[in-house]
Amino acid sequence: RAIGTNGVPDRIVIDKSGANLAGLEAVNVILNFTGSGRTIKIQQVKYLNNILEQDHRFIKRITGRMLGFKAFYSASATLERIETAHMIRKGQFHANGLNAFQQFAQLAA
């Protein structure tokens, strides 16, 4: 699903999980079979992915208190809004001289 949404990446960093490796190798076989000429370079490093995993702690802290989501749409919408607010706070959006509150208000409008 991620490749369908964002395109084929040059490389992917995964942990030592065998399931992830098998899935990516299957994707590489499909890419070779279709003749696209591109394959994904797979890097299996145990701790290199920790920065990404630590970033999810913020969402886990907020959604951990909830009793769960009844519908996929509500879960998707809630997580997108939490991620957007977190990215603004981390300075990952172009600020254009606005503070975090002003950016959030501008996106909400």
Side-chain angles (χ1 to χ4, degrees), residues 4 42 97:
I42 303 168

Side-chain angles (χ1 to χ4, degrees), residues 6-72:
N6 302 311
V8 179
D10 295 326
R11 66 186 168 105
I12 292 180
V13 178
I14 59 173
D15 55 6
K16 296 291 184 174
S17 169
N20 290 335
L21 180 63
L24 287 171
E25 286 175 345
V27 169
N28 275 340
V29 168
I30 293 170
L31 289 172
N32 282 334
F33 184 70
T34 58
S36 67
R38 290 183 65 181
T39 57
I40 302 169
K41 181 181 176 188
I42 303 168
Q43 289 183 310
Q44 261 190 312
V45 181
K46 187 174 181 180
Y47 299 108
L48 195 58
N49 214 17
N50 278 352
I51 295 169
L52 232 153
E53 294 298 328
Q54 292 298 320
D55 197 41
H56 293 305
R57 272 191 177 180
F58 180 76
I59 291 176
K60 288 179 184 176
R61 188 183 68 186
I62 291 174
T63 58
R65 297 184 202 118
M66 297 179 184
L67 296 175
F69 297 101
K70 294 186 186 243
F72 180 78

Side-chain angles (χ1 to χ4, degrees), residues 82-99:
I82 292 171
E83 272 294 319
T84 303
H86 189 53
M87 289 173 70
I88 289 172
R89 198 172 308 125
K90 287 172 57 177
Q92 293 177 339
F93 275 98
H94 299 293
N96 296 332
L98 303 175
N99 63 24

